[in-house]
Amino acid sequence: MKKNIARLRRAKTTRSHIRDLGVARLSVLRSGQHIYAQVFTADGSKVLASASTVQSDVKDGLASCKNKDAAAKVGRAIAEKARAAGVERVAFDRSGYRYHGRIKALAEAAREGGLQF
């Protein structure tokens, strides 16, 4: 089984479980150069908040956009924007990625920013 197919299979099972919970979803996309995070409504129809290393306010002061420091800054930014949109509780959708490295750094920074997983 190819690596991406396995990741998408894991993501599918996670999203079906999150759908049953009925809470907002914090979804993460990791690329080779950047990391993106979005908070969706419980039904997934609307994006409530988003942050990424592409945005200039997040990118400022970073040596690189593809390390743990950048992911942590995205986590803090998404927590701030989600709380401003009135979201306190989210379910963490790691999109099938393993919970380590940049994904873990983003999640821990979002928790420190006030989001409850």
Side-chain angles (χ1 to χ4, degrees), residues 18-25 39-46 48:
I18 290 172
R19 197 172 301 115
D20 293 339
L21 293 176
V23 296
R25 175 170 61 108
V39 176
F40 294 97
T41 57
D43 60 356
S45 63
K46 186 176 176 188
L48 301 173

Side-chain angles (χ1 to χ4, degrees), residues 92-114:
F92 186 57
D93 176 11
R94 54 192 172 83
S95 300
Y97 301 115
R98 290 177 52 204
Y99 187 80
H100 75 108
R102 293 189 286 165
I103 302 296
K104 184 177 179 181
L106 187 144
E108 289 175 351
R111 281 191 188 104
E112 290 172 5

Side-chain angles (χ1 to χ4, degrees), residues 23-100:
V23 296
R25 175 170 61 108
L26 170 59
S27 182
V28 176
L29 174 69
R30 185 188 75 185
S31 74
Q33 298 295 321
H34 297 283
I35 191 159
Y36 308 85
Q38 291 181 321
V39 176
F40 294 97
T41 57
D43 60 356
S45 63
K46 186 176 176 188
V47 176
L48 301 173
S50 66
S52 71
T53 53
V54 175
Q55 296 171 337
S56 61
D57 59 332
V58 176
K59 193 188 317 185
D60 290 341
L62 292 175
S64 174
C65 292
K66 51 185 175 181
N67 57 16
K68 289 183 191 179
D69 296 332
K73 195 164 181 182
V74 170
R76 287 189 293 273
I78 194 70
E80 179 182 321
K81 290 178 181 182
R83 288 176 55 101
V87 177
E88 296 285 328
R89 267 186 94 68
V90 295
F92 186 57
D93 176 11
R94 54 192 172 83
S95 300
Y97 301 115
R98 290 177 52 204
Y99 187 80
H100 75 108

